[in-house]
Amino acid sequence: MGERPNLLDPEVRANPYPLYARLRQEAPVCQVDPRGMWLLTRHEEVTFALKHPELFSSSALSRALEVGWLGRAHPLASGMSFADPPRHGRLRGLVQQAFTPAALAGLEPFVRSVVEPLVTNLLERRQVDFIQEFCMPLASSVIGQLLGLDTFLFKRVKRWAEVVAAMSSVSPQDTARQEQVRTSVEELRAYLEEVIDARRHQPREDTVSALVQARVEGEALTQEELLSFLFLLLVAGMETTVVLLGSAMRLLRERPEVFSWLRADTGRVPRFVEEVLRYEPPVQGPLRVATQEVELAGVRIPAGALVMPVVASALRDEQHVTDGERFDPERDGYSLLAFGHGIHFCLGAPLARLEARVALEVLLPQCAGLGGESEQVVWSKALAMRGPAVLPIELFPANQPT
Ligand code: HEM
């Protein structure tokens, strides 16, 4: 295999798929940099790891969340994404009462009401950074709505999401940044506590009310668990959705024939979105920690190792997908792994799909074509994420000559 691959290598950042393809053939269980992390790149080992939380733990990851300077526990520490069975099952059983497919489908009119003026703005401006002008405001409004925040706070959701996601990487010496982060976290906490109190006294037809009322065998979420879940929604639901919308638009801009095919019949949008999720999954791979020495594909992974089952590679595994390196919006959907597998399967999957579908259903009839240079894409910096962080794009309105 030669030198140890580095996921932060600029060539790999720009396009990780050739590396994944090579690893699937030559070293499907392999150690890479940074941090000597272990990558699993074949469908078989990826699904095995995600199905075996007793061997590949999520709770052991919470050690990385410890930040002494915060003055209290990390807001995600008591949340479900850093929990293993049996605790995970209890939390998941409670929160999924607020995340039923019906409850998420009920958000469609709200999503449409956000998308429509955003699309009008795009077509008036014509040359925009699609991420700033469309993806961010849409994703933050939806998360703001789920958190029960007042509309005027929706604009702050993006900053809060960034703060929570970046908290563990603030240097112990950077006291100024620590102070900023502490202030932002306390500010958000205060708003969320206000919402929780209000819904306890006067429930509404919304997510926070459903979370407050959820019971399994008479037991409810504690205040800390509730807050932790609301903080988790920021991290789990913001950048992922931004990147999905951005990747969908980038692929359409680079493939005018797919744009025309989709525009000719917007009933094809859900299938297109599934192929975007397969071909460019926003989360390249969740992280786990090996609880003991585990042998996979003849390779020993030591106890305590950081492991990434790379779903983005499994979704192109030649043993499972025909011609997986080709973007084919007419293929029968095979993207479930993009939302994880097993007990931590994404709770927001129907919502992410809904946002992408409504965005394209509203945009396509009003837009005759897309332009812009492909070299101008700036990629997301987060290690496990892939998608545009900046996407300059030109939109040609349908009612004007292109
Ligand atoms: C395209 C958008 C999205 C993608 C690609 C995505 C992907 C994922 C993945 C891969 C996981 C599994 C993580 C693991 O195994 O450790 C996950 C979990 C989760 N996602 Fe999403 N997600 C998206 C959008 C959302 C949205 C919009 C929400 C909510 C508003 C959300 C809420 C969650 C939650 C709460 C979990 C944790 C579930 C658990 O630990 O049991 N996600 N997501």
Side-chain angles (χ1 to χ4, degrees):
M1 183 64 231
E3 211 174 291
R4 201 195 254 189
N6 190 331
L7 298 183
L8 298 177
D9 184 328
E11 215 176 294
V12 176
R13 291 306 285 165
N15 181 8
Y17 297 105
L19 172 67
Y20 298 158
R22 187 156 62 84
L23 293 179
R24 281 197 303 275
Q25 299 303 327
E26 296 175 13
V29 176
C30 147
Q31 210 174 2
V32 300
D33 283 320
R35 290 187 276 167
M37 192 191 322
W38 290 77
L39 293 195
L40 315 179
T41 43
R42 286 196 316 210
H43 190 278
E44 191 179 332
E45 286 80 24
V46 166
T47 47
F48 178 86
L50 294 175
K51 274 285 192 196
H52 289 277
E54 74 289 1
L55 297 176
F56 296 97
S57 154
S58 297
S59 74
L61 285 167
S62 66
R63 248 168 267 137
L65 292 177
E66 282 163 19
V67 274
W69 51 262
L70 197 61
R72 57 161 91 229
H74 190 291
L76 297 180
S78 26
M80 61 197 284
S81 62
F82 292 95
D84 291 328
R87 187 162 177 272
H88 174 268
R90 179 185 155 265
L91 291 173
R92 177 117 182 169
L94 284 161
V95 302
Q96 72 191 6
Q97 295 180 20
F99 268 74
T100 57
L104 296 179
L107 286 166
E108 179 157 352
F110 172 77
V111 172
R112 210 165 272 279
S113 76
V114 177
V115 166
E116 277 166 357
L118 288 174
V119 166
T120 306
N121 174 56
L122 291 182
L123 291 163
E124 276 169 14
R125 303 264 310 276
R126 291 184 63 145
Q127 296 211 3
V128 294
D129 169 10
F130 187 68
I131 303 296
Q132 281 302 327
E133 301 294 330
F134 187 83
C135 309
M136 292 286 191
L138 171 56
S140 31
S141 301
V142 172
I143 297 293
Q145 179 79 359
L146 285 180
L147 300 181
L149 296 172
D150 286 328
T151 321
F152 80 94
L153 291 171
F154 286 3
K155 283 201 172 74
R156 288 194 220 170
V157 167
K158 172 181 161 259
R159 183 164 54 83
W160 284 323
E162 284 167 358
V163 163
V164 177
M167 205 181 293
S168 311
S169 55
V170 176
S171 119
Q173 286 78 37
D174 193 349
T175 47
R177 178 80 184 125
Q178 290 169 9
E179 185 52 40
Q180 277 173 358
V181 169
R182 250 193 315 266
T183 310
S184 290
V185 169
E186 289 309 318
E187 179 191 58
L188 175 58
R189 213 182 150 91
Y191 281 122
L192 294 177
E193 281 178 338
E194 226 172 83
V195 176
I196 294 171
D197 285 348
R199 299 301 188 277
R200 279 197 207 283
H201 289 109
Q202 220 164 19
R204 293 192 197 166
E205 290 286 309
D206 68 5
T207 314
V208 178
S209 306
L211 287 167
V212 165
Q213 291 167 340
R215 295 287 180 278
V216 169
E217 292 168 6
E219 231 196 295
L221 289 166
T222 65
Q223 179 82 352
E224 242 359 85
E225 286 167 348
L226 238 166
L227 277 165
S228 205
F229 181 68
L230 296 178
F231 270 93
L232 171 62
L233 290 183
L234 281 171
V235 187
M238 257 304 288
E239 197 181 352
T240 47
T241 311
V242 165
V243 159
L244 170 64
L245 296 167
S247 289
M249 205 58 168
R250 181 179 71 80
L251 289 162
L252 283 177
R253 185 186 65 183
E254 285 169 9
R255 291 168 172 74
E257 71 292 354
V258 177
F259 181 90
S260 306
W261 171 84
L262 205 54
R263 190 163 184 264
D265 178 1
T266 52
R268 295 168 173 159
V269 165
R271 214 166 188 187
F272 166 78
V273 171
E274 291 313 294
E275 179 65 349
V276 176
L277 283 160
R278 185 196 70 81
Y279 190 76
E280 283 286 13
V283 178
Q284 296 276 286
L287 291 174
R288 298 288 188 269
V289 174
T291 55
Q292 59 189 69
E293 187 182 89
V294 190
E295 188 171 319
L296 274 187
V299 178
R300 279 178 192 203
I301 301 175
L306 186 63
V307 179
M308 185 195 275
V310 187
V311 294
S313 174
L315 284 163
R316 293 181 181 214
D317 185 342
E318 28 295 287
Q319 302 294 320
H320 267 263
V321 191
T322 311
D323 210 2
E325 301 287 353
R326 195 166 63 88
F327 183 78
D328 175 7
E330 293 194 74
R331 85 169 68 231
D332 270 330
Y334 181 77
S335 59
L336 276 182
L337 267 188
F339 291 111
H341 187 65
I343 60 167
H344 290 280
F345 184 80
C346 179
L347 263 187
L351 181 56
R353 289 184 165 117
L354 169 71
E355 288 180 61
R357 174 175 61 76
V358 172
L360 292 170
E361 278 174 3
V362 174
L363 177 74
L364 286 168
Q366 301 183 54
C367 178
L370 303 171
E373 303 294 324
S374 21
E375 304 81 68
Q376 289 176 346
V377 174
V378 175
W379 297 100
S380 164
K381 287 199 181 62
L383 186 65
M385 297 285 293
R386 169 158 171 90
V390 178
L391 183 64
I393 213 157
E394 183 168 8
L395 298 103
F396 304 112
N399 55 2
Q400 286 169 33
T402 54

